[in-house]
Amino acid sequence: MGVGHSSLPSSVDSLCINVFKPHPKTSALYNPTPQKHLFPTKKHSLFAGLKIGSFNHGRVPGEMEIQKGIAAAQKPIVDFHGIDEGLIQKIVYDALVWSSLHGLVVGDRNVQRSGKLPGLGMVHAPIALLPTPFPESHWKQACELAPIFNELVDRVSLDGKFLQDSLARTKTADAFTSRLLDIHSKMLEMSKKEEIRLGLHRSDYMLDEKTKLLLQIELNTISSSFAGLGCLVTDLHRTLLDDYGEELGLDSKMIPGNTARLQFAEALAKAWAEYNNPRAVVMVVVQTEERNMYDQHWLCTVLRERYNVRSIRKTLAEIDSEGQLLPDGTLAVGGQAVAVIYFRAGYTPADYPSESEWSARLLMEQSSAIKCPSISYHLAGTKKIQQELAKPNVLERFLDNKDDIAKLRKCFAGLWSLVDLDIIKEAIEKPELFVMKPQREGGGNNIYGGDVKETLLRLQKEGSGEDGAYILMQRIFPAASLTYLIRDGICHKDHAISELGVYGAYLRNKENVIMNDQCGYLMRTKVSSSNEGGVAAGFAVLDSIYLT
Ligand code: ADP
Ligand code: MG
């Protein structure tokens, strides 16, 4: 899921900022002691909220290769204990200069208007100093899955009954999902057809240490964020390795290229062209405050500079007051025809503080504009649908190719609904092996550890049907390794775990599939916390990968 301003990392406290002294040039940039108390809560973690140059889809690696890859990944590529502190300080300094000069920035929480106005109160994005090792075989596997997931979302979106039936129990327990389903029902009643369909997705994975399996965390179909900034981290890491690779024993060529930004912009531009109204714009639906605005501006800048497509930014409230449906189905906002609606808001209940925002969502859905995503694509990306698709014989309803089905199934972790009494019993006995998830996006909503047991026991006792709001998922445990993480100008060394997101773009007009591509990646790395098993309050950063 996308990350809104609330999911961006909170600022560190003043104690940390005071450490930052301008002289000597770099000494304050590196703090070798892990400072867990300075880390933001999970709610504000990039990791919690968070979503190659055209990759050449290679053959599927064999099991042996995967094992070899994992073994290599677990051997540190650099002995972080052995790196000279002075060298680290130099690299940190260069990383901060590069980020500032190249727009690898977010709004600074300490500056009041930084989420409203661009160019005001910018701070470098939280980043890993160096790329994180990742086995090439698993990387290829994740890339290969992107177009298959794109197609799956499209097929599922066309089956209105499957979406409604699968989410029926959720509907009674979860008011937000219920509102989305109401809009979806209205479209079914109207027999509304979306002939041009655009998906900008990000499928997130963790590499489970014990089983050596690449397992999907979730598939984001709305507001998949960081396509803009993620590419810059790749460029930054390549630049740092060009400069310091020899001293570190690392080769910048082992970092795969990342053109997520260009490819997402290309998909938006191609969708705009399919709509075929040269005067129409791309409308980005935004939150009222957005500290991750530069990630979005990057896409719009490419749209303008490469494709000469203009974009406007509107909140749901503005769309309600300025929007209008013309007799031919065109959506006009502030008098401007809209070709493509690109949602970077609207995925969380907080985005709908009043009925106005819901009317805006309905208005957009009724229009002929291309929605990224449509209500059906949005629902196809819910966690409940992820769990339904993992049931036996469900993928077969949507896909024909047996190899594709096998590839998808291989990356599915254990997923269960709360009607499965055996699993509930097991989760109460061993809650540390499960994650409990409501139908929410944007991070900070999941339940872990002792809270899983407590919540399950409460739901059992109450018997109110609230259990329909949740799914249970197998907890994935990636290997932790020493990493340098930089935020607010300070570098910390700590044990960290990573989550790889692979972007995918899908565009079709009726029977014509115009784009179905894997589009670059996003690595996110967060400190692993021993008491909460790695998913506790997390200090998360944007990262890239170093193929092993
Ligand atoms: P959201 O839509 O809020 O991003 P996710 O399903 O991605 O929801 O969960 C948020 C975060 O929780 C993930 O980025 C990951 O760090 C952690 N997480 C989610 N599912 C699992 C799991 N099965 N095992 C371990 N960690 C998980
Ligand atoms: Mg997520």
Side-chain angles (χ1 to χ4, degrees), residues 268-334:
L268 286 163
K270 283 187 165 160
W272 174 86
E274 287 300 311
Y275 190 78
N276 200 20
N277 175 354
R279 284 181 307 281
V281 295
V282 170
M283 178 171 75
V284 187
V285 184
V286 295
Q287 295 182 326
T288 46
E289 258 191 73
E290 178 60 271
R291 290 192 304 113
N292 193 27
M293 69 169 88
Y294 302 100
D295 180 52
Q296 304 168 358
H297 283 304
W298 268 114
L299 288 186
C300 294
T301 298
V302 178
L303 257 183
R304 179 81 179 106
E305 290 180 353
R306 274 208 171 189
Y307 301 97
N308 201 25
V309 174
R310 287 176 187 276
S311 57
I312 55 173
R313 293 167 67 81
K314 295 283 175 187
T315 62
L316 287 166
E318 285 166 342
I319 295 163
D320 181 51
S321 66
E322 299 171 25
Q324 182 186 13
L325 208 55
L326 304 183
D328 69 350
T330 302
L331 174 70
V333 177

Side-chain angles (χ1 to χ4, degrees), residues 57-58 60 141 143-152 155 205 389 395-396 398-412 516:
H57 300 290
V60 193
Q141 187 191 345
C143 291
E144 236 187 280
L145 288 168
I148 312 175
F149 272 118
N150 288 342
E151 194 184 324
L152 178 67
R155 298 276 175 95
Y205 306 91
L389 290 169
L395 284 179
E396 284 78 357
F398 301 104
L399 298 175
D400 308 314
N401 185 313
K402 289 209 164 35
D403 285 349
D404 286 353
I405 292 173
K407 282 175 195 164
L408 293 185
R409 199 155 274 143
K410 195 172 171 197
C411 80
F412 287 169
N516 183 10

Side-chain angles (χ1 to χ4, degrees), residues 2-40:
V3 59
H5 69 281
S6 61
S7 303
L8 276 167
S10 63
S11 62
V12 287
D13 58 31
S14 54
L15 199 135
C16 195
I17 289 158
N18 291 340
V19 181
F20 193 103
K21 298 189 199 94
H23 185 77
K25 189 165 88 168
T26 55
S27 65
L29 301 178
Y30 172 49
N31 178 355
T33 338
Q35 297 194 5
K36 290 221 168 63
H37 61 288
L38 296 179
F39 300 154

